[in-house]
Every structure is written in structure tokens, then in C-alpha cells.
Amino acid sequence: MPTIEPPALSPTLALAFELIRRPSVTPDDLGCQDLMIERLEALGFRIERLPFGDVENFWATRGHHGPLLAFAGHTDVVPSGPHTHWDFPPFEPCIDESGMLRGRGAADMKGSLAAMVIAVERFVTAHPDHHGRIGFLITSDEEGPAIDGTRAVVEHLRETHDRLDYCIVGEPSSTDRLGDVIKNGRRGSLGGVLRVRGIQGHVAYPHLARNPVHQALPALDALAREHWDAGNAFFPATSFQISNIRSGTGATNVIPGDVEVVFNLRFSTEVTHEQLMQRTEALLDAHGLDYHLDWTLNGEPFLTAEGELVEAAVSGVEDALGHRPALSTAGGTSDGRFIATLGSQVVELGPSNATIHQVNERVRATDLDDLSRVYQAILARLFVNGTARP
């Protein structure tokens, strides 16, 4: 497939190319953050490098007074898989004949990072004495365990009492066209690993054994049928989903001694994770199971239903692109779940999510230039037109 090599890339695309060329698979950063830091320092940002474990992070701020708007994102990407499966090498960015920028991270989310930096460069050049403060919270641990990345930086900010009023996370939020969807919240995620114990035995002598699979099935059916809540105007009803079931020795004539069930609850603001845990365990107890259950809270639900940031984001899309975005809380989790615990208003706004984590990840090249204009318009709405409140 032939490619188009433009004679001169736009500033946003040039930076996106530089970032994509670095195969920064989680938790490696491979100099992506150095590229961003160099440009931010030239604008007068104060940089605080915050490495935790094997993860590179940084927190950058500009300005001294007023509310703070932070751009948040990640330099790490998911593995590409075999390069032979790609039409183009995943870490050799190019723009194809249809105008698509191809490469791992083009959409998730090095394209957004480039758009953020260029937007801030242009805004600061035009408004060097702008009202308010601008920040960057960047990690290389979003696609992995997400322990030593944004979560750790947020705890650092909490300890230092650094204020973070507004946050734009550059996750790919768009569906059919750039800016058609802004994520203003996310559901909570509660994971469970259930182990039901039985008694192993020969399938021909079931009276001498106790089959944990047979015992667990009615309880699992009850959990799948449970009405946890009805959701609300912003969130769908809580859902229970089984992702894995493991049991047996591999032999066809052995009743297993235990069964392991991995499940997840995606929940709304109508119920707490403690309530979900209690209700689940009560239902398992009612079925008389001999079980052990390990819980993992991946994130609480968060919501920015209204406020200055939502107003500025919606207006910024309208100003730059000419259409009004919809607000949504659909999809998985993001690092916004950690930032929201600071009491910040949080939205997610980025390019199309159609090919994220896929072979041949790509995004329309012009969308990144347009996204940079959207980010700049939001900055203007908050810090020039007086939307932000001190």
C-alpha cells in the first residue's frame, strides 16, 4: 500500500511521529517524556519528575494563581504483536494514501499528547500572562498494572496539597467523528476471584465426591440474574459478567475438587462497592457453598455532571469543529478514576477509538490538528473568556 509523505508535517503531526517512533510498551517510556518536558520547559513550566518503581512519570505546572487545568495522559502503549501482521511497521509512523496516520499509539494516546503540547504552546505564545495555571500529568503505566503511574502521582499531589481543579484526559473518546463524544464519567470496576471447594472423586462414584461445578452453577446463575440497581440519568444499570471459569484435571473421568470463577461488576453511582461485596457474599452464603472470595477494586465510579470544565469542553468542540458533542460514561476505566478522587472536574476528550489496541492502529491525520485546536479553544474558554472560577 503506497504512503503519502507530506513535504512538511504540521507541528502536531511532527511531534506525534517522534512519539510513535519510540516503542514505549508498558512500562517503558523510552524518551517520550523527555521530548515533552523539553518543550514544556521552554514555555516556563516547572517540571517534577516522579519515578515510582519501573515507571516514569512527571508533573508540570505553569502559572502561580487561579484554578489549575491539567492535561493527563500516558506515553506507554500496548504490545504490537508480530510486526508481520501490520500493513506498516507499528513503530515507523506514516500517513497512508487515505490520510490516516498509522502506528502503535496513534490513537491511544500519543496523538493526543502531541495535540496537547502544541495547543499549550500556541496558547501560551498568544497569552503569556494568562489567567490560571496549566498542568501536565503524564505516566508510562496506564496500559499495565496502573499502580506506579497516575495513581501514585495523585497520592503525591494529595500529600503535597497541590490543587487540581480541572483535568482533560486525552483518551480516545470519539466514535464516528472527532469530538462527537466527551466522556464525563466512568463506571466503577470491582473484580472478584471465587474459588468453590468440593471433593474430588471418580465420575462413576459421585456419592463419594462433591462436584463444586454443580454446586456453583445455581449461585452463578443467581448472580447473573441479580438486579443490582436501575442505573440513573448518567449511568446504565450495574452489570455482572463472568470472564473465566477454570476447573478439572484434564481427565474425563475425574470430578474436580474445586472451581475458580473470575468475574467483574461494572457499577454506577447508585451502589457502593461495599454493598456489592456484601450482596454477592450473602447470595453465595444462601447457596451453602464452601468458598473463598478475593476482591479487587479497580476503580470507583466518577462523574462530572456539570461545571466549568464540561461547559468549556462542549463549547471548545463547538468553537473548533462546529458541532456539539454528546456526553457519555460508556466504556471501560481510565486514569480519570484516580484523578477524580482529588475532587477535580474530569473529562476525557480525544480522537477516534475505532482501532485502539488493534493491529494497524490508525487515526485520521487531520483529526490531530483539529484536536489541538479543540484543546486550545478549551484553554481560551477557561482562562481568557473567564469561564474558570477561582
Side-chain angles (χ1 to χ4, degrees):
M1 184 183 296
T3 64
I4 297 174
E5 294 294 342
L9 293 169
S10 70
T12 301
L13 289 171
L15 181 53
F17 267 53
E18 288 190 79
L19 293 169
I20 294 169
R21 284 193 183 103
R22 289 161 168 78
S24 52
V25 177
T26 312
D28 295 329
D29 172 71
L30 299 184
C32 291
Q33 292 181 25
D34 289 338
L35 283 174
M36 299 179 67
I37 287 171
E38 180 180 2
R39 300 181 76 133
L40 294 176
E41 283 182 328
L43 296 173
F45 277 79
R46 295 174 299 280
I47 308 296
E48 187 176 6
R49 293 180 183 266
L50 297 167
F52 296 103
D54 296 328
V55 176
E56 297 294 326
N57 310 288
F58 77 84
W59 170 243
T61 56
R62 186 185 194 277
H64 300 281
H65 305 290
L68 188 149
L69 166 66
F71 290 95
H74 59 91
T75 56
D76 60 316
V77 297
V78 296
S80 64
H83 291 197
T84 54
H85 293 176
W86 290 64
D87 294 337
F88 299 92
F91 298 108
E92 295 179 20
C94 64
I95 299 174
D96 69 20
E97 59 186 354
S98 65
M100 303 298 287
L101 169 61
R102 291 172 172 263
R104 176 59 86 220
D108 190 13
M109 59 172 290
K110 291 180 176 180
S112 294
L113 296 180
M116 292 171 179
V117 171
I118 301 305
V120 170
E121 286 181 344
R122 290 172 172 161
F123 178 79
V124 169
T125 299
H127 307 283
D129 300 317
H130 59 83
H131 170 66
R133 302 166 63 207
I134 304 172
F136 278 79
L137 195 170
I138 307 298
T139 182
S140 65
D141 180 40
E142 195 273 346
E143 300 289 8
I147 294 172
D148 291 326
T150 300
R151 182 199 298 260
V153 175
V154 164
E155 290 311 308
H156 171 79
L157 296 179
R158 200 189 315 276
E159 292 171 2
T160 57
H161 305 288
D162 211 343
R163 179 177 174 181
L164 202 169
D165 301 277
Y166 314 122
C167 184
I168 299 174
V169 184
E171 289 293 339
S173 63
S174 303
T175 53
D176 296 326
R177 61 175 175 170
L178 178 67
D180 58 355
V181 175
I182 294 174
K183 299 291 178 68
N184 66 326
R186 294 280 191 162
R187 293 175 294 174
S189 175
L190 177 64
V193 179
L194 170 68
R195 296 175 179 86
V196 179
R197 294 178 287 261
I199 298 176
Q200 184 174 306
H202 196 292
V203 294
Y205 302 96
H207 59 286
L208 300 177
R210 188 173 73 245
N211 193 319
V213 177
H214 293 182
Q215 289 194 309
L217 286 177
L220 297 178
D221 181 63
L223 287 168
R225 294 174 179 271
E226 180 73 4
H227 179 75
W228 303 96
D229 59 60
N232 54 37
F234 300 99
F235 292 96
T238 295
S239 69
F240 171 91
Q241 292 294 322
I242 295 170
S243 57
N244 287 279
I245 298 179
R246 305 183 187 95
S247 187
T249 64
T252 61
N253 59 352
V254 178
I255 293 171
D258 57 64
V259 60
E260 179 184 270
V261 181
V262 181
F263 63 87
N264 180 268
L265 287 146
R266 294 297 167 106
F267 61 102
S268 73
T269 50
E270 292 296 302
V271 64
T272 67
H273 74 271
E274 292 95 348
Q275 290 172 330
L276 292 174
M277 292 165 62
Q278 292 168 1
R279 289 172 60 182
T280 298
E281 291 172 11
L283 195 152
L284 295 172
D285 291 339
H287 282 77
L289 300 181
D290 179 9
Y291 71 92
H292 178 79
L293 181 53
D294 291 314
W295 292 103
T296 300
L297 178 62
N298 301 304
E300 297 280 9
F302 69 91
L303 176 68
T304 302
E306 57 186 11
E308 300 86 26
L309 181 59
V310 168
E311 294 172 10
V314 170
S315 298
V317 171
E318 289 184 303
D319 293 344
L321 305 179
H323 58 260
R324 187 173 182 84
L327 299 177
S328 171
T329 62
T333 59
S334 77
D335 277 357
R337 68 191 189 274
F338 305 128
I339 298 165
T341 65
L342 295 172
S344 312
Q345 298 179 30
V346 179
V347 299
E348 298 172 25
L349 175 55
S352 169
N353 54 31
T355 63
I356 59 174
H357 293 205
Q358 294 183 15
V359 169
N360 294 321
E361 181 180 347
R362 58 200 178 275
V363 65
R364 187 164 300 283
T366 55
D367 279 359
L368 297 186
D369 291 317
D370 289 341
L371 180 61
S372 186
R373 294 194 300 112
V374 170
Y375 290 152
Q376 187 175 348
I378 295 171
L379 283 163
R381 283 276 176 173
L382 287 171
F383 294 150
V384 176
N385 299 335
T387 302
R389 300 182 176 54

